[in-house]
Amino acid sequence: MDSKGDILFKSKTDSLKNGIVFLLLGIAMIVGSNFIYTPIVLIIFGLISILIGLYILIFKRADNVIIYENAISLKNNQIIDKDSIKSISYKKVKPKGSLPSYYAVLLLNNDSEQLINIAFNSMINKDFEKIIKSYLD
């Protein structure tokens, strides 16, 4: 850890907890619907809650990116040293009817690219944006 330096940024991994909470809430609603007179409303809310929980668990998983002073650690235990990064570019993604988001793309010395799968714009992940833009300075 000392060779990497201090941690500058660590991605949040709360999506797993949120997904499990929604799943448990949905299951509790469906089980609890057996004890009330009109269970259909509680069953519908329980199914909606379960679907939200599955969506969060499957599609909204965090990438577990840790940015150190001298290296970047990605989810798949891939460590990229700061010296092996040639430059950082940004991939723009414009969702329909919303602010455009950007993803950082690391251009490495061996001419390969590595995408950091954390979106940022003027509304979300402002601390990540500051750190990634000043990383090679």
Side-chain angles (χ1 to χ4, degrees):
M1 291 290 186
D2 293 333
S3 63
K4 296 178 193 173
D6 293 333
I7 294 178
L8 300 177
F9 176 82
K10 185 173 183 180
S11 64
K12 296 181 173 100
T13 57
D14 58 354
S15 63
L16 181 64
K17 290 182 256 178
N18 291 342
I20 291 174
V21 167
F22 273 106
L23 281 175
L24 292 177
L25 183 65
I27 291 170
M29 283 184 193
I30 290 174
V31 170
S33 69
N34 291 326
F35 302 108
I36 62 173
Y37 182 67
T38 55
I40 193 69
V41 174
L42 207 54
I43 290 173
I44 291 172
F45 285 139
L47 288 175
I48 290 171
S49 179
I50 288 174
L51 290 176
I52 290 171
L54 288 174
Y55 174 76
I56 289 172
L57 284 175
I58 295 171
F59 297 111
K60 294 292 183 179
R61 296 292 300 253
D63 232 357
N64 296 334
V65 174
I66 302 172
I67 299 177
Y68 297 97
E69 288 177 335
N70 300 321
I72 296 176
S73 175
L74 301 176
K75 181 180 182 178
N76 53 2
N77 294 329
Q78 181 181 7
I79 297 174
I80 301 171
D81 290 328
K82 190 174 185 176
D83 299 332
S84 66
I85 301 172
K86 187 187 312 182
S87 65
I88 299 174
S89 63
Y90 306 100
K91 180 180 176 185
K92 181 179 180 179
V93 178
K94 175 129 176 58
K96 203 175 215 182
S98 182
L99 291 173
S101 295
Y102 299 92
Y103 291 92
V105 179
L106 304 176
L107 301 171
L108 304 177
N109 288 335
N110 60 0
D111 293 330
S112 64
E113 295 181 349
Q114 180 65 47
L115 175 73
I116 297 179
N117 197 14
I118 298 177
F120 63 90
N121 59 28
S122 61
M123 300 292 287
I124 59 170
N125 290 331
K126 292 180 184 179
D127 53 345
F128 175 72
E129 177 184 9
K130 289 176 192 173
I131 290 170
I132 202 70
K133 285 188 174 180
S134 67
Y135 191 66
L136 291 179
D137 295 338

